[in-house]
Amino acid sequence: MTRTIDETGAETCEWTVTGMDCASCAGKIRAAVERLPGVEAVEVALMTERLRLRLAPGQTPPARIEETVRALGYGIGAHPGRKPFVLPGAGDAARDRHDPVGEDRAGAVGAGEGAAAAPAWHRSGKGRLVLVSGAVLALAWGAAALAPGAAPWAFALACLIGLGPIARRALAALRTGQPFTIEALMTVAAFGALLLGAAQEAAVVVFLFAVGEVLEGVAAGRARAGIRALQALVPTRAWREGPGGLTEVAADSLSPGQIVLVRPGDRLPADGEIVSGQGGIDESPVTGESLPVTRGPGEAVFAGAINTEAALRIRVTRAAADNTIARIVRLVEEAEAARAPTERFIDRFSRWYMPAIVGLAALVAVVPPLAFGLPWGTWAYRGLALLLIGCPCALVISVPAAMAAALSAGARRGLLMKGGAVVEAVAGVGQVAFDKTGTLTLGRPEVTDIAALEAPADRVLALAAGIEAGSSHPLARAIRDRAASAGVAPQTVAAVTVRPGQGMQGQDAAGRTVAVLSPEAAGVAGRAAVATLEAAGKTVVAVVEAGRVLGLIALRDEPRPEAAAALAELRALGLGAVMLTGDNPRTAAAIAGGLGIDWRAGLLPADKQGAVAGLGADVMMVGDGINDAPALKAARVGVAMGSGTGVALETADAAILRDRLTDLPATIRLARATMANVRQNIALALGLKAVFLVTTVAGLTGLWPAILADTGATVLVTLNALRLLSFDPARVG
């Protein structure tokens, strides 16, 4: 168990709970522990097998929680510590201390140690029940063949042996105030069948119920496999550099600042920065990017990525529990708490569905004999069959199973959404608002034109690069990069100073004043060449020597290469788009015109927030900067670019890890496919229940088809949800 104590003395405790196969299992555990004194904020996550709650001081001890869960028939044990989730790229300020990750814990998230895989079905308690009850049922059939007179007793014995564990769980739930559980209904139906003389059918129903529970467990295990696959991406061992050379150590023991060697073909054991070496990095396990990307010194790399070429020395930048894989896993796990509105509605519906079916079963058993003189045995049997239709497992799991599969599938492709509520909101988006700089554009100006006036272009560029040599301004970096790519050596310039609001100036080797200035400061603001460049949305600077304007340099933050394609995909999805920027109208019009998108310019952060609010209730905001945070929060869905600031990432509801705009329509396609899957699941669950309800009342089906209607529907719904794991949201059309 993981425990943290706040300033009031209240404990937040967390466990791993095993044996949960469907949403009703989670509901039983939640209802049982909520009744205990001092227990608050109970969260039971089915897909990640997690129980989290708060305990008021001096009331219920943690051991009592564990006893209650075990009495219901579930396993409970230690769970690794959790921290508030921060999307990849967020700052350190959002992190807190965490407890060490223990060993042998299912669902562990620590980097470098995959979660323990689910045991084989025949080794679980429910699997053993299937084997035992099946064997006893076979012996009963054998006894019936050899001694027909003993058949009722043999099948009754088989029924009672198989029913024992189920009845114990029903009694434990009854003690916690939960009379309407599937175990209770199963127990009543089986005993009722024995009293009606249908011992063979009762034994078969108990066996089928046990088989159904095992199938539910297998299906739920497959749904959890996506998270285990993510955890397994990080290697368990690493080669760490030290005074004595290379040492093989556990990957989860690495700490920031240490240097590790990653050989070709190895997975990276930690998030880090390349110190030396250059080569291809296959980031597909982390971001879904299909092609390797070349990384060199100073560039960031992710844990779990594969080094495809040269040996790399990497400086660790994040501890194991904070690496990208661990953060993605935490997102998928903790997203279960952010339930979709549809899921909350289904949960409320299920609370009266089971009692309503029980009441209907009682009416079916009693009313026809009393009112119409029909046989008691026949209608009591039909009433018992109806009881088995009363469990809403398939209905309740229809939403969370689909959401868990979608979140896992998205995370493996760099599409991160914070829970089912976000998935449902994304599916309902009708308008998308974009920030400009760093979102629709690359976020780094590039030199687009060099206009030579009184000196050759190379000399203009060399002088400008020399003046800007020590500046960190984005325009200065762009000029230096252009000189480097063109093979132009910067001219030596001394005594460089800043002219606030105008540019920079210095002295060349001959003592002449040289400068890079705005057109206004250089006195060329009205020239035709300047006007033409500025009309194209470019920023223009003048290169001046001893009062003479040698030339002009134009720069622009260019649109992302995939921006036009992403906007076309959004239009194909029926979505409108608008660009919101704090830049001047001239630049905004140039960028937006090239992309075919509406725009609003000159917006402060508060103006962006107001613009988003004015676009309607179904707007999605996409941004990457601190100034985008209010707008991200105001939108129905806020999406942060993966390379954005920590504030934007923490404020957003979702993130695009690969910084590729075409992943935005992919996210929307995934969300829409998920909601379509949810509707299919609900129709499947309710449809099967309705069909068997009618056929049972009409006497066309009996006990064992009724139990198949319950467990079979649960398995079918889960398997349908698992189809989302293979859904390709990048496929257009």
Side-chain angles (χ1 to χ4, degrees):
M1 180 193 68
T2 300
R3 301 169 68 177
T4 57
I5 302 177
D6 63 21
E7 62 277 3
T8 67
E11 294 181 73
T12 298
C13 303
E14 196 165 332
W15 294 267
T16 289
V17 177
T18 57
M20 294 189 295
D21 301 329
C22 67
S24 68
C25 297
K28 279 184 287 188
I29 294 171
R30 185 185 300 110
V33 299
E34 280 178 340
R35 293 171 58 87
L36 299 175
V39 177
E40 304 170 344
V42 179
E43 295 178 13
V44 185
L46 170 66
M47 290 301 164
T48 51
E49 301 178 299
R50 185 182 71 245
L51 167 63
R52 178 191 291 157
L53 50 80
R54 291 181 75 251
L55 291 175
Q59 297 193 49
T60 300
R64 177 76 183 282
I65 303 292
E66 297 179 3
E67 291 172 5
T68 301
V69 173
R70 290 193 182 100
L72 292 172
Y74 302 99
I76 184 168
H79 198 77
R82 296 284 185 246
K83 294 178 288 183
F85 179 77
V86 182
L87 283 166
D92 292 339
R95 304 187 200 127
D96 61 2
R97 297 176 62 84
H98 83 289
D99 294 328
V101 178
E103 297 179 355
D104 299 326
R105 303 179 192 175
V109 170
E113 67 176 83
W121 70 269
H122 58 275
R123 294 183 178 178
S124 66
K126 293 177 180 179
R128 288 193 292 269
L129 177 60
V130 166
L131 296 177
V132 170
S133 60
V136 175
L137 183 60
L139 290 174
W141 267 315
L146 296 174
W153 299 104
F155 284 114
L157 179 62
C159 174
L160 293 174
I161 291 175
L163 192 61
I166 299 169
R168 283 197 299 271
R169 281 157 35 204
L171 183 60
L174 183 61
R175 288 172 180 157
T176 64
Q178 300 179 75
F180 299 113
T181 63
I182 183 58
E183 288 85 2
L185 302 185
M186 183 69 221
T187 302
V188 171
F191 273 119
L194 290 177
L195 293 176
L196 292 174
Q200 180 174 349
E201 192 164 3
V204 171
V205 165
V206 169
F207 174 71
L208 289 176
F209 177 80
V211 170
E213 286 201 314
V214 168
L215 290 176
E216 289 173 5
V218 171
R222 288 193 60 191
R224 297 176 182 122
I227 295 175
R228 295 194 186 101
L230 284 173
Q231 295 165 341
L233 291 177
V234 181
T236 58
R237 311 295 293 176
W239 289 99
R240 185 183 65 197
E241 288 188 4
L246 290 175
T247 305
E248 189 177 17
V249 298
D252 58 6
S253 70
L254 297 173
S255 58
Q258 294 179 336
I259 305 295
V260 295
L261 175 69
V262 182
R263 299 166 299 189
D266 287 351
R267 289 186 184 272
L268 276 61
D271 283 6
E273 181 180 284
I274 297 176
V275 176
S276 63
Q278 181 170 329
I281 301 291
D282 179 3
E283 297 179 346
S284 60
V286 184
T287 67
E289 174 61 62
S290 59
L291 297 176
V293 292
T294 300
R295 301 289 188 204
E299 294 191 88
V301 288
F302 303 124
I306 302 169
N307 178 19
T308 62
E309 295 178 2
L312 302 175
R313 294 175 64 244
I314 295 173
R315 178 183 293 107
V316 177
T317 57
R318 293 187 188 277
D322 275 340
N323 70 43
T324 300
I325 296 294
R327 290 175 169 215
I328 293 173
V329 170
R330 279 202 296 276
L331 169 67
V332 177
E333 290 187 331
E334 298 192 1
E336 283 195 72
R339 299 194 300 168
T342 301
E343 183 178 354
R344 291 194 294 269
F345 170 77
I346 292 297
D347 189 45
R348 291 193 300 270
F349 173 79
S350 66
R351 291 176 186 174
W352 62 262
Y353 169 81
M354 184 180 288
I357 291 293
V358 172
L360 178 62
L363 291 176
V364 167
V366 173
V367 171
L370 289 178
F372 306 106
L374 298 176
W376 280 95
T378 299
W379 288 96
Y381 177 87
R382 294 179 184 180
L384 293 175
L386 273 183
L387 286 179
L388 301 181
I389 301 174
C391 180
C393 284
L395 183 62
V396 174
I397 203 174
S398 60
V399 182
M403 293 298 177
L407 293 171
S408 179
R412 296 180 69 178
R413 293 170 172 85
L415 315 176
L416 307 183
M417 291 179 278
K418 293 182 180 178
V422 176
V423 174
E424 188 162 344
V426 170
V429 163
Q431 178 90 353
V432 182
F434 291 92
D435 170 52
K436 180 180 75 69
T437 305
T439 302
L440 283 175
T441 66
L442 294 168
R444 54 179 188 273
E446 295 181 354
V447 174
T448 59
D449 303 90
I450 301 175
L453 299 179
E454 297 191 27
D458 283 355
R459 182 157 181 257
V460 172
L461 183 59
L463 181 56
I467 296 169
E468 303 283 12
S471 175
S472 61
H473 193 279
L475 297 182
R477 288 197 299 269
I479 291 172
R480 293 197 303 269
D481 290 345
R482 176 60 177 269
S485 64
V488 174
Q491 184 174 322
T492 302
V493 178
V496 177
T497 59
V498 176
R499 291 173 55 172
Q502 296 182 341
M504 300 185 71
Q505 71 177 34
Q507 291 185 333
D508 64 10
R512 291 172 297 195
T513 299
V514 293
V516 174
L517 303 172
S518 67
E520 291 78 10
V524 295
R527 289 195 184 183
V530 174
T532 300
L533 293 170
E534 289 186 337
K538 300 174 182 178
T539 299
V540 180
V541 296
V543 181
V544 181
E545 179 186 71
R548 293 185 307 133
V549 178
L550 301 185
L552 305 173
I553 298 178
L555 307 95
R556 190 168 75 170
D557 184 9
E558 294 295 314
R560 291 178 180 270
E562 77 283 2
L567 291 170
E569 290 183 33
L570 290 176
R571 285 191 288 270
L573 291 171
L575 303 177
V578 61
M579 182 179 76
L580 307 177
T581 178
D583 215 333
N584 63 77
R586 185 179 60 244
T587 301
I591 296 294
L595 295 175
I597 184 176
D598 293 335
W599 57 274
R600 299 183 191 179
L603 302 177
L604 297 174
D607 298 328
K608 283 188 180 181
Q609 183 180 17
V612 166
L615 288 173
D618 61 349
V619 64
M620 170 189 283
M621 175 67 192
V622 188
D624 75 318
I626 292 175
N627 63 333
D628 298 323
L632 291 171
K633 198 68 176 176
R636 181 179 184 181
V637 181
V639 180
M641 300 297 287
S643 63
T645 65
V647 174
L649 289 164
E650 291 177 50
T651 305
D653 303 298
I656 299 171
L657 188 61
R658 292 188 294 190
D659 251 7
R660 180 186 296 170
L661 277 177
T662 48
D663 281 350
L664 185 67
T667 301
I668 295 171
R669 280 191 288 268
L670 176 60
R672 290 183 177 182
T674 302
M675 294 313 298
N677 189 282
V678 165
R679 290 189 289 271
Q680 293 165 6
N681 284 348
I682 293 174
L684 185 63
L686 289 178
L688 280 175
K689 296 285 187 183
V691 168
F692 279 92
L693 189 150
V694 172
T695 57
T696 299
V697 173
L700 301 176
T701 54
L703 289 175
W704 69 264
I707 198 64
L708 286 180
D710 173 57
T711 57
T714 302
V715 172
L716 288 176
V717 162
T718 306
L719 292 177
N720 186 50
L722 290 177
R723 294 191 303 113
L724 290 169
L725 291 173
S726 59
F727 177 76
D728 183 8
R731 188 174 60 192
V732 179

